[in-house]
Amino acid sequence: MAVPGTIALLAALSMFGPFSIDTVFPAFAVMGRELGADTLAMQQVTSVYLLAFGAMSLFHGPLSDAVGRKPVMIVGILAYVLASIGCALSTSLPMLLAFRALQGATAGAGQIVARAVVRDLYSGPRAQAAMSQIIMIFAVAPALAPIVGGWILAFGPWPWIFWFLAAFGLAMAALTASRLPETHPPQARTPLRVGPLLAGLWEVGRQPTFLRIAMAGSLAFAGQFLYIAAAPIFVLDLLDLGEQDFWIFFVPTIGCMVLGAHLTGRAAGKIEPGRLASFGLAIALFAGVLNVTLQAIPGLPPLPWAVVGPALMAFGIAMVFPVLQVAMLDLFPHRRGAASSVGAFLTLMLNAALSGAVAPFVTDTRLHLAIASLVLVLLGWGLWRWHQRAAGLAGPADPVAP
């Protein structure tokens, strides 16, 4: 049985993603001027990170199934520290992108494997409650990261942000080594061979129920993530705010996310998980419609109305995420690392495409950004409804079935 300190550590390990992405946002304009990169080129600083994160995410989980959770975490985090130092020392955009790719390839060692650790420790409603607690703590990172980045930028040059990330990585490696128990014993491990590793990924990735659940959650979350990926443009250009003003967007959004995760944790064992997920997706869909409506009203001031929809959407998505994460891991009790990896891969590939190929082209106006966000949430909601019908016809035993 895990102690509260273990839950807090797992939440901190899950912060690698948002800290690596959001802390850099306030420095985009300065970095672009110094490195000779325009807005579209600077968006690749995020998309390259996400592409590498997603590609390597396929292997962090299966490796932890084979050699244990802690070794994969510690080695990956130390490699992340070296990549962050490389980013800090970069003198050109290609050099920075190369080290950002290495950052992405290693950051998932903590973030993805931590989800498998939760399911190693807990089952049933307790797993849902634990995942919700982690999300509540983890949710602080996207709100805190750009604020920290802005503070660092106010007192020093942009490389200091990456030195901060390197220090964060060193602290997490030390805490993981000294405080985190090994939750995957040798007798439960799978062979460390390429054939079985790839076979495990294929077993997970071709399961229709898994794919429906994973893609429903990924598409719905993409509606929220589009705003996160476009934050430098949304905050600095569309809202005409400054480099220290990212909190105006992130604080209400993440505050609603924490509240949604808290309610999901309280509902564990009391409300059927599938019903809870449907309710959260309905809220996210309503938020998307409300957001488009507000941005379409002529003469309406940008603030606070531009952040109302994204914040309410975050509330709904936070209710959905813990339920779907536990459901995906429960489908493969002997390959939880692989299930966590494939689920993360699908989400990250979609987010990378949004950051590099979509966000730059839908951020000319707040209305276009709101419409794109709504379309993504609508697709996730539709796929969830399809899953419910398919699961109902099959008479399944998975925990998110109607």
Side-chain angles (χ1 to χ4, degrees):
M1 181 65 66
V3 297
T6 301
I7 295 294
L9 177 54
L10 292 173
L13 289 167
S14 297
M15 290 179 179
F16 273 102
F19 259 69
S20 302
I21 297 171
D22 298 353
T23 310
V24 189
F25 281 163
F28 266 32
V30 176
M31 293 166 65
R33 288 195 297 268
E34 292 191 11
L35 299 177
D38 59 17
T39 301
L40 180 59
M42 287 306 301
Q43 281 296 123
Q44 308 315 310
V45 173
T46 300
S47 62
V48 163
Y49 169 89
L50 289 170
L51 282 169
F53 194 127
M56 191 60 192
S57 69
L58 283 174
F59 302 99
H60 292 308
L63 285 172
S64 75
D65 286 339
V67 302
R69 311 299 188 206
K70 286 184 66 172
V72 174
M73 286 182 169
I74 293 170
V75 172
I77 294 171
L78 291 176
Y80 172 90
V81 171
L82 294 177
S84 299
I85 294 173
C87 290
L89 299 176
S90 294
T91 55
S92 66
L93 183 61
M95 183 178 177
L96 176 62
L97 292 178
F99 281 110
R100 281 290 278 178
L102 182 58
Q103 251 194 337
T106 53
Q111 186 171 345
I112 294 170
V113 178
R115 298 176 187 173
V117 172
V118 172
R119 194 56 190 83
D120 290 341
L121 293 169
Y122 299 115
S123 61
R126 188 66 188 94
Q128 179 182 318
M131 195 74 76
S132 298
Q133 292 169 15
I134 287 175
I135 290 175
M136 286 174 59
I137 302 172
F138 149 82
V140 175
L144 184 62
I147 298 173
V148 171
W151 287 343
I152 293 173
L153 201 61
F155 293 100
W158 63 263
W160 285 19
I161 294 175
F162 291 103
W163 287 112
F164 164 77
L165 293 176
F168 172 73
L170 280 175
M172 288 299 99
L175 288 172
T176 300
S178 61
R179 300 294 179 87
L180 189 70
E182 175 57 68
T183 61
H184 194 54
Q187 63 270 21
R189 296 174 188 174
T190 57
L192 183 57
R193 297 196 300 270
V194 175
L197 187 149
L198 295 178
L201 292 172
W202 176 245
E203 178 187 346
V204 173
R206 67 186 179 89
Q207 223 275 5
T209 301
F210 177 89
L211 289 175
R212 289 196 302 266
I213 296 172
M215 287 309 300
S218 295
L219 285 165
F221 177 69
Q224 176 188 344
F225 185 82
L226 181 61
Y227 271 88
I228 297 174
I233 302 173
F234 179 61
V235 173
L236 300 178
D237 298 335
L238 297 183
L239 298 183
D240 197 24
L241 298 174
E243 294 168 345
Q244 278 74 46
D245 295 328
F246 278 77
W247 67 269
I248 294 174
F249 165 59
F250 279 102
V251 168
T253 298
I254 302 309
C256 287
M257 188 176 177
V258 170
L259 180 59
H262 172 71
L263 291 178
T264 298
R266 294 291 300 270
K270 301 173 184 177
I271 300 176
E272 189 268 325
R275 188 182 303 275
L276 195 62
S278 295
F279 185 59
L281 284 170
I283 292 175
L285 185 59
F286 168 78
V289 173
L290 176 64
N291 192 31
V292 170
T293 303
L294 290 173
Q295 306 319 308
I297 297 176
L300 192 70
L303 294 173
W305 308 111
V307 300
V308 170
L312 185 58
M313 186 181 297
F315 174 80
I317 297 301
M319 294 182 65
V320 175
F321 192 80
V323 175
L324 299 192
Q325 288 296 310
V326 173
M328 287 189 292
L329 296 176
D330 281 350
L331 289 170
F332 300 95
H334 301 295
R335 295 190 183 275
R336 290 171 185 151
S340 180
S341 281
V342 176
F345 172 80
L346 295 173
T347 299
L348 290 162
M349 288 295 102
L350 179 58
N351 290 346
L354 290 175
S355 178
V358 177
F361 300 103
V362 298
T363 48
D364 54 334
T365 67
R366 297 192 306 274
L367 178 59
H368 290 165
L369 180 60
I371 291 172
S373 175
L374 172 60
V375 169
L376 291 166
V377 175
L378 183 60
L379 290 172
W381 177 83
L383 192 56
W384 172 251
R385 296 294 296 166
W386 176 30
H387 165 71
Q388 287 191 306
R389 287 194 295 270
L393 290 173
D398 67 273
V400 293

